[in-house]
Amino acid sequence: MQRNNRVYLIRHGQVVGYERFPVYGHTDVDLTDVGILQMKQMAERLRLTEPAAVYSSDLTRSVTGARIIARHHDVPLYLLPELREMRFGDWEGLTLTEIRTRFPEELQKRQDDLLNYRAPGNGESVADLAARIETVFEDIRAQQKGNDIVIAGHGAVNRVILCRALGLNIGHMFSIHQAYGCLNIIDYFPDTTLVRLMNG
């Protein structure tokens, strides 16, 4: 059966400050040396693939990996703000411990309504994120119909795409792990979707 797309969906490598469990969201941070090595290894894994294009969030941690991968392929590299991680408002840059200490009531609200809760300071809800990612992802797939593509994304971004591919309610997204520097492979056919690899 002829497939519409194969998507090589990656998560960026390890980020500076990772050991503190920060919530970076739209905050722009660099990769660690380990993160860069993870992306070089990813580039080797994808060296023999034939993508028609590489897409990335416009945040440095994704762009760095996308550029390393794109070196092996003479194809366009598109940097899209629509592929950014979830926006966490006033929680941006804080650690999980700091959020628990400073925003206990807000955390409870989030737990009570995970899909629709927005962090203070113009944060996005899971539903907001899903709508944003699904829109740009469908546009990318339509533009690249019949082609393989690489997308350098983020943890929550990838989870949205994987939930849809697996037919899961978006509320289950945090049941899917996405390690730094992981690879997912998804094939899209006219009447079905096949997840070939997840968090590999």
Side-chain angles (χ1 to χ4, degrees), residues 87-159:
R87 188 177 64 247
F88 287 98
D90 293 345
W91 295 0
E92 291 273 336
L94 300 180
T95 66
L96 294 175
T97 303
E98 287 169 336
I99 293 170
R100 284 191 194 103
T101 302
R102 291 165 55 177
F103 298 94
E105 291 177 3
E106 290 295 323
L107 269 184
Q108 185 58 53
K109 289 181 193 173
R110 182 176 187 268
Q111 195 169 334
D112 292 341
D113 189 6
L114 179 62
L115 286 185
N116 299 302
Y117 174 79
R118 295 183 178 97
N122 197 32
E124 277 183 303
S125 68
V126 168
D128 293 336
L129 172 73
R132 169 164 62 85
I133 296 306
E134 286 164 12
T135 298
V136 67
F137 186 61
E138 289 307 310
D139 287 347
I140 290 169
R141 285 190 48 229
Q143 290 163 17
Q144 297 292 344
K145 188 170 183 181
N147 295 330
D148 296 353
I149 51 177
V150 174
I151 297 180
H154 299 268
V157 170
N158 293 4
R159 289 181 177 104

